[in-house]
Amino acid sequence: MAAVYSGISFKLKSKTTSWENKLKLAHFAWISHQCFLPNKEQVLLDWARQSLVAFYKKKLELQEDIVERLWIYVDNILHSKKLQNLLKNGKTINLQISLVKIINERIEEFSLSGSQRNICAILSCCQGILSAPALAVIYTAKPELIVTLLSQLCWSACRQPEGAMTAKLFEVIHLALDHYLKLQQQQANPRRVFGDMTSHLFQPCLVLRHLLLGGTWTQANQGQQWQVLSRDIRSKIDAVLRGGVFRHDLLSSYKEELLEQHQENIKIGVLKSLLTPMETVIARLLEPDYVRSDIYALVVASSVSLLYRLFLESYLKEENQFLCFRVLPRLFGCLQISHLQEGQIEALSVSDWTTELLTVEQLLNSVATGNIYNVATDRIRHAETQFHFYRRVAELLINHSQASVPAWFRCLKILISLNHLILEPDLDDLLSSAWIDAEVTEFRAKKAQEVLINTVFQTYAKLRQVPQLFQEVLGVICRPAAEALRQPLLASGLSTALCACLLELPLSQILDTWSLILDKFQTLVMPCLQSDTDMALKAMSLSSLLHCIMFNMQSLDNNMPLPVIRRTQCIMERMLRELVKPLLSLLPDLWSPEPELWQQKVSDCALLLSYTWAQVDTTLSLHCSQYYSLAISLARAALNSSNLPLLLPEVETELWKKVEKCIAQSRSLGRYCLEQLYLQKVKRTLMQSNSQSKEALQTLKFDTAHILDSSRDCLSQKTVAAWDRQVSTMNESTYPVAHWHLIVSNLTVLIPYLCMNDVKYVATVLLRTLPANKAQGSLAHGEPHITLEKISTALLHSPLFPEMQSLYSAFLTCIIAKCSSILCSGAHSDLSLISQQLPWLFGKDYHTVVAHWETKLAKVGPEGIEPRGEIAQNFLSMVKSGFPIKLDEEQLKGLLELLEVISALRLDSLSPSHHVHLFFLLFSMAVSTLGHCSCPLALQFLVKCYRLLSGLQRGRNARSVFRVMYVSDVFEAVLTSLLQASAEFQVREDDPAWLQLLQMSGVFLDQLLQMLIQGKLSLVLNFGKITAFLSRYSKEASTKELKIQNLRGRQLLLVALTKLCQSLGLCVKERRQLLEAPAALPELLQQAIMQMGAMLKLCLVSGTTGRRLPSAFLSAVPTLLEVDMNQRLRDGQPKIAQVVDTDKALLSHATLYQDVYTQLLEELPALSGNTQSFQAALRFLTLFLLAPELHSKENSVFASIFYSVQKVLTACDSIPGPCIPAPVTQDTELHLGALLTHMFEAGTTEHFGMVLQSVLQGLDVTQAWRSDLQAVLCAIRLLNLLLKCPLSGEKASLLWRLCPQIITALMLQHREACQEQPVALVVIEPILEVLAVLLRKGEENISNPHHVSLAFNILLTVPLEHLKPREFGSVFLKMHNVLFSILQCHSKVMLKAIPSFLNSFNRLLFSVMHEGRQKDKGSMDDLPAILECARLVERMYSHIATRAEEFTTFSPFLVAQYVTEVQKVTLYPPVKNLLQEGIYLILDLCMERDIQFLRASLQSGARDVFKDLHSDYLKYHKAKHEGEKRYTA
C-alpha cells in the first residue's frame, strides 16, 4: 500500500491536479499511517507554506475558500497531537521565516484595515507556533519578528475592540508577551531594547493597557477566566515597559539627562548616543494621532501615573530620591491641567478633570509613600526645587477649584501632609474653595472633603497654630459673599473633625480662638446686623462655630492654673455682656408680625448663644470650684420669681417674655434653643437643696410642661426628614426631629414632673412615630442622621423605658386602646351585648376598666375561692357559637403592626390589672373569627398572638389570670377556637406556617399546664375537665360522621394530648416519689394515654399511608412511649385503680411502637433536615432501645438503629454533580451524639466493636481509590461522634488500642484527598476536625509519641493556597485546632517535634500574610475572616510564649521567619497589628545575644523590617508592660 500513496508528493506539486484534490490528498497524507513520505511532516508543511507564500506574492492565483482551507490545514498540523509528540521526541520541524512574515503581514493588514479574511485561522496558527517552544524559536531567533508581531497584535486589539476573534487574539497576545519578556531579559544591548520598545511597542502597549483597565472587553468576555487573563496581560505589559524603558543599565543615562551630570571623562560605551531617554519616552507619549482623539487624554493620563510608578520601582533608592523627583515635573507636564496656568488650553470638562486629578493623586501618593520629599534635604541641597514644584501644583489646584471631584480634595490632603507650608500662602483660598464656599453634594466628595478638613485641623493642632488657622477661617466667613448660597458651615462630618481637634488642644489656644470670634462679632457683624440678610447669615455661621468650640473644648477643673481659670471667666463675662445680652435686647425692637429671614437668623443666633453660654457656665461651675458663675444666685431667685427661664444673669423677665413672644410661631433653631434653656432651668432647679419644696415642684411642673407644650403642633404629623444633630443644619423640616430628640433624650428628667395628660401625649406620639412595618432595630451608636422613627424605635428598645412606669403604662394603654378599637370595628352583632361580655374592649375610660379588674381580683382573693364561671362561660359560649368579632385582612394587618410593637416591650413586670387586661385582649384576638383573609396572613397573626400570650404568661403576675378564669377553661377555649379555624384554613398539613402555629399553640398550652402544676391550682378539677374535654373531641375524631375529619384538627388534638401527657406524667411521677400522688391523677393519666394511643393509631392509618410521619405525630409518639414506660415501671408503689389493665394497654400500644420504629428507620435520613422532627425521632429510637420487651427476636435493634444512623451520615445534598454527603449540622450532631451515647451504654462490647470496625472499613484507603466519598465521610463523621461520647471500661480501651490504625488511616485518606484536582476539601476539613478531637481525647491514652507525630504529616500538606476566603478561614481554624491540641495535650511529643510544630505553624503565619496583604483591587468584605485567622496566630504566639523553656532556643528563628516573610507584602493595618502583638511575645523570650544575632544574620531588607519591629517593640510593648509592673501591687 505504501507504494500506492508514494506519488502524493508529485501530485501535490503537479499543476494538473485541482486544488480541491490537492487539499484532500494533503489531509489524507497527514492523518494516514499507510502513506509513506520521507520527512512527511516537513514536506507537507513546506507545501502549504510555499502555496501561501506564492499566493500572497502574487505568483499564484487561488480562490478565497482555497486560501482559507490552506490556513486551516496549517493550523490543524500545528495543533495536532501527532506534531506535539514528534516535537517531544526530539524531531526537528523547520518553519521558514517566509511563513512567519506572512502571518505578521496578515495581522498588520487586520490591524490597519480591519479585514477579517482568514484572521481566525491565522491567529490560531500563530498561537500554535508560540505554544510550542520548538516552533516558537523562529520568532525568538529574530527579535524584530516578535517585536513586529507583538506590536501589530496590540494595535489589532486596540483598533478592533469587538469581534468573534477577541478571545483568541488576547490568548496570542499573552503568549507573545511571554516570549518577548524572556527575550528582553536575555538582551545584553539596552540601546536596542530601548529602541524596539519606544519605536514599536511603547504606544500600543500603553493604549491596550488603558483599554483593559477601563473594562472595554468586560461585557463580551464575562467570567473569572477573562479577568485572570486581563490581569495577567496588564502585569506583563508593566513588566515589558519596566524591562524596556527603565532598565537598570539605563540609570546613568537618566541621571545625565535629569540631573544634568555631564561627565566627559567617563566612557559610557553603547549608551553614548542615548542621552535623553526620558525626553524620548515623553515625546512618544505625546505624539498625536496614534490613538483616537476621544481617548487620547485618558491614555496619556493613565500612562503618566504608570510610567512614574515603574520608574520608582526600578530606581527608587535613598541615593536616587532627587532623581525620582526630577521625573515628576516632566511627567506632570504631559497632563492637560499643567498648561492651564499659561492659558494654553481651554477649560476642561468635569470628566477630564476627574481623570487628570486621579493621575495627580497617584503621582503625589507615590511621592508620599516613597519618601521622595524630605523638607530639610530639599531646602539645604536643592534650593527648595521640590517645594516650588509642589507650590505650583497647589496654586493650580486652588485656582481651579473642583469641589465636585473627590480626587481634588485628596490631592490637597496629600500636599498638606507633605508640608503644610505648601498650602499656607493660599490657606484662605483653600478654606474658601474646599470648605466654606464649596458646593459639595455627592457622597464621595463629602467624605473626601471631611478627610481634607480633618487633616488641616490636625496639622495646625500639632503645630499649635489653631488660632492662626481660625483667623483665616473667620476672614473667609466675613468676606462679602452670597451667604444664602453657602452650605451649613459645620455638617456632621466636619463637626466631628473639629471636635477631635479641639479635644487635643491646650485651653489657652481655644481661648485665643474664642476671643477672635468675639472680636469679629463685635467689630464686623454687630454694627451691620439690622436689615442685612447676608450679615445675619454670617452671624449664624459664627454662632454655630462658637457653639461647637465651646461645647467641645477641654473643661476646667481644680487642677487648672489659676490664670487660665480667670481668663476663661473673663471671656465668659465678656461674651455675656458684649454679645449675648445685646443680641437678646435687639430682638423685640426688630421683630415684625411676619419676620423676614434676617430677623429669624438673628433670633436663632441670639438664643443659640444664650443656650451655649448657659450650658458652658453650668458645666464649668460644676467641674471647677474656683470658677465663679455669674448665674450662681439665679437658681435660688428662680424659685420666687416667674416661670420664665432666668438662666442668664441681668436679663429682665420682661425681655424674656418679649423674646418668647417673638419666636412663638416659628419652627426654628431659636425655638429649639429656648426649649434647651427651659431644660437647663429644670436641671438647675433639681440641683438645689430645696428642689422638693412646693414652690420648686410648681416651677418644675410648669417648665417641663412648657417644653412639651411649646411644639405640640409639630409632632401632629409624621415627617421623613433626617437631622444630623448639628445645630447649624437645623431648619423648619428637621425641627420636629430635633424637638422629639430633645424630649426623648431627657425623659428621665421630665417624666416625674409631667401630668398624666402630658405623659399620655408622649406615649401617643411615641406610638404614632414608630415605623409602620416592624418595630425592630434601633438607633445605631454614632449614626450621624436621626429621624422620628429611629428616635422612637431606640426609646422602645431602651432598657430605661420600662423603668419609667408612668410612661410605660400610658404607652401600653395607647396600644391596648388602638387594638380594642380595631377589634370593636370587627364586631358583627349587638354591641351592647358584646360590651357586657367583653368589657375590656368597650371601656371608654381605661382607668375605669383597670378599676373593674382590680375590683374583680380583690373579690376573688388570693386563694381563688370564688367560682370563676362568668367570664369563662361567656368566652366558651362565644367561641363555640362563633366569636362575635370577625376580622378582615386590613384589620389583621393593623393588629399585626401593633403586635410587633407589643413584642418589643418587656411584659414580665406588669401590674396584675394590666396583666389581666392585656391577656384578655390578646386572648380575644386569638379566638376572633378570621374572615376573608389570606391563609398565610391569618396563620402569621395567630402565631404572633400565641407567642405573645406565652411571653406574657412568663411574667411575674401570670397567676392573676387564673383568679378570673380556670386553666381548663382557657385550655378548652384555645383548642376549640383552633379546631374551628383549622377547618377553614386552605393549607397543607406540612406547610411551615401551619407547623409553626402548632408549635406556638403547643408552647402556650404547655405553659398553662406547667403553671397549673407549679401553682397547685385545683389539679384534679382542672386536669379532669381537660381530660374529659379532650376525650370528647377524640371520640368525635374517631367517629366517621363527626366534625374533626381533617388531619389538621387531629394534629391539634395530638399536640394537646402530648402536652397533657407530658405534664400529667411528670406531675404523677414527682408526686409518687414524694408519696403525695392522689389516686385520681394516675387514673386521669391512664385515660390520656389511651386517648393519645387511639389518636396516634388513627393518624397513622388515615394520614400517613405512603407519606412521611408528620411532625406532630413524631413529637407525640416518644411522649406516649415515655409516659407508658413510666406507668409500667412503678414497682414498690401501691396498686391503684385503673380504667384498663396496664399490661394489656402496653401490649395494645406495642404494635403502634413497632410500626413507628420500622417506619422511622426508613425515614430517618430524610428527617435530618428538620431539627424538631429529627430530635423527636431520635428520642423515640432511644426510648425504644431501652424497652427490650418491644424488640424483635429476629433482628438486632442496635444494629438496625446503627445502620439507620449511617444512612443519615451518608445522606447526599440534592444538588447536581457527584454525590457528596451533606454536612452534618451542629443540632443534628448533638442529637445523634445523645442517641449513640445511649446505644453504647445499652449495647455490648461486641456491638461497640462492630461500630469501630465500620469506622476502619470506611477509612480504608481503597475507599478513596474507588472514589467512594460517602463511605469515607460517613466513617469520619461517625468517628467524630463516637469520640464525643463518654466511654469507659472495655469499650474505651478497645477504642484506644485501635487509635494508631485510625490515625494512620486518616493520614492516608488526607494524602489521597490532597492529590485530587481540585483538592477535596470536603474530606480534608472533617479529617482535621476529627484529628483535633482525637488528640484532645487521647491526652492520657495515646502512649506512643510517634502516633501523635503522624499528625504533622497531615498538617504539612494541608492546602492553604488558591482557596476562597470562606474556605480558607474554615481550613485555617481546623489546622490551628490540631496544632493547639498537640501543644496543650502532648508535651512529650513537643520535646522532640518542635521543628515540625514550627514548620506547621509557619504555614499558618505565611498564609495569613498572603491573604491579609493589601490588594490593588477588590472589596474588603473578606477582611473580618482574615482578622479572625490573624487573631488565632496571635493566640498561638501567646501559647508558645508560655512554654518558654521549650521555645527559648527557637525564638530568634521564629522572629526571623516572621520578618523575612512580612517584608514581601504590605499587610492591612488591622492584620499587621494582630501579628505584631503576637511576635512581641516571642521577642520577650529573646535574649540580647539573640537580638544581636538577628541584626547580623538577616538580609538587608529583612534587617530594616526587624529594626523597625524591634523599635516598636521597645516603644510600645516593653515600655507598656514595664509601666504596668511599676504600678502593680
Side-chain angles (χ1 to χ4, degrees), residues 977-1258:
S977 169
L978 286 173
L979 286 169
Q980 289 175 354
S982 69
E984 302 296 328
F985 289 145
Q986 301 299 316
V987 64
R988 290 174 52 189
E989 292 79 8
D990 57 353
D991 187 279
W994 167 251
L995 294 177
Q996 192 179 15
L997 176 59
L998 283 179
Q999 182 188 357
M1000 288 315 305
S1001 57
V1003 168
F1004 179 59
L1005 294 176
D1006 184 54
Q1007 206 168 35
L1008 290 176
L1009 296 174
Q1010 291 304 319
M1011 293 194 67
L1012 175 63
I1013 294 168
Q1014 291 166 11
K1016 300 180 182 179
L1017 305 173
S1018 309
L1019 293 177
V1020 176
L1021 172 65
N1022 279 293
F1023 274 124
K1025 288 176 70 176
I1026 292 170
T1027 307
F1029 160 71
L1030 288 175
S1031 173
R1032 184 169 69 253
Y1033 271 110
S1034 298
K1035 288 175 183 175
E1036 290 179 358
S1038 58
T1039 309
K1040 291 183 180 177
E1041 66 271 5
L1042 268 184
K1043 306 169 187 175
I1044 309 174
Q1045 287 299 314
N1046 65 77
L1047 188 54
R1048 293 184 298 277
R1050 292 172 182 171
Q1051 286 178 324
L1052 279 167
L1053 284 175
L1054 264 184
V1055 168
L1057 286 165
T1058 302
K1059 300 305 178 185
L1060 176 63
C1061 286
Q1062 279 178 343
S1063 303
L1064 195 50
L1066 188 63
C1067 178
V1068 169
K1069 184 178 178 181
E1070 289 176 353
R1071 290 178 173 250
R1072 188 182 290 132
Q1073 289 170 353
L1074 299 172
L1075 302 178
E1076 294 179 358
L1081 289 181
E1083 186 175 335
L1084 291 172
L1085 176 59
Q1086 191 58 42
Q1087 290 179 29
I1089 290 172
M1090 294 305 297
Q1091 291 172 30
M1092 191 171 173
M1095 184 60 64
L1096 282 169
K1097 288 177 183 175
L1098 184 65
C1099 290
L1100 190 64
V1101 171
S1102 64
T1104 61
T1105 307
R1107 296 169 61 185
R1108 290 180 189 168
L1109 296 170
S1111 60
F1113 186 95
L1114 283 172
S1115 301
V1117 174
T1119 301
L1120 179 63
L1121 177 55
E1122 185 176 12
V1123 174
D1124 215 347
M1125 289 170 66
N1126 287 338
Q1127 278 289 84
R1128 186 179 59 82
L1129 298 172
R1130 58 178 192 270
D1131 300 332
Q1133 300 298 330
K1135 187 147 180 88
I1136 57 174
Q1138 297 178 12
V1139 176
V1140 184
D1141 183 71
T1142 306
D1143 296 331
K1144 288 183 182 178
L1146 188 59
L1147 189 62
S1148 64
H1149 292 326
T1151 308
L1152 171 67
Y1153 301 142
Q1154 287 162 351
D1155 289 344
V1156 173
Y1157 165 73
T1158 305
Q1159 194 163 345
L1160 276 183
L1161 290 180
E1162 296 175 5
E1163 293 184 6
L1164 197 60
L1167 291 172
S1168 60
N1170 185 325
T1171 304
Q1172 188 180 353
S1173 299
F1174 188 67
Q1175 184 179 3
L1178 293 183
R1179 184 163 153 252
F1180 175 81
L1181 291 176
T1182 304
L1183 293 168
F1184 192 88
L1185 183 72
L1186 301 176
E1189 63 272 23
L1190 297 174
H1191 299 179
S1192 168
K1193 294 180 180 178
E1194 291 81 11
N1195 299 318
S1196 165
V1197 172
F1198 185 97
S1200 300
I1201 296 177
F1202 175 66
Y1203 293 141
S1204 188
V1205 168
Q1206 279 187 309
K1207 289 179 186 175
V1208 172
L1209 296 176
T1210 55
C1212 294
D1213 275 321
S1214 58
I1215 55 175
C1219 186
I1220 298 174
V1224 178
T1225 63
Q1226 195 170 358
D1227 285 337
T1228 305
E1229 184 179 311
L1230 187 67
H1231 302 322
L1232 281 174
L1235 174 63
L1236 287 174
T1237 300
H1238 287 295
M1239 286 175 65
F1240 295 149
E1241 288 174 356
T1244 62
T1245 307
E1246 288 75 17
H1247 286 140
F1248 187 72
M1250 177 189 75
V1251 175
L1252 285 178
Q1253 193 60 37
S1254 171
V1255 170
L1256 287 172
Q1257 284 176 0

Side-chain angles (χ1 to χ4, degrees), residues 1334-1353:
L1334 189 64
L1335 292 171
R1336 280 199 303 274
K1337 294 281 185 179
E1339 182 175 3
E1340 298 176 356
N1341 299 300
I1342 302 177
S1343 55
N1344 191 341
H1346 169 70
H1347 299 143
V1348 179
S1349 300
L1350 291 175
F1352 290 119
N1353 295 340

Side-chain angles (χ1 to χ4, degrees), residues 304 308 322 324-335 337-338 341 360 363-364 367 372-373 378 382-397 415 418 422:
V304 163
Y308 192 56
F322 188 62
C324 292
F325 162 72
R326 294 291 293 181
V327 179
L328 184 58
R330 298 280 191 98
L331 290 172
F332 179 74
C334 298
L335 299 175
I337 59 172
S338 65
Q341 297 284 65
V360 175
L363 293 174
L364 293 174
V367 170
I372 290 169
Y373 179 44
D378 181 52
H382 306 299
E384 294 191 323
T385 306
Q386 290 199 54
F387 176 77
H388 293 312
F389 170 72
Y390 300 133
R391 274 288 304 133
R392 186 161 66 88
V393 175
E395 287 173 1
L396 173 68
L397 293 173
L415 286 171
L418 287 173
I422 294 170

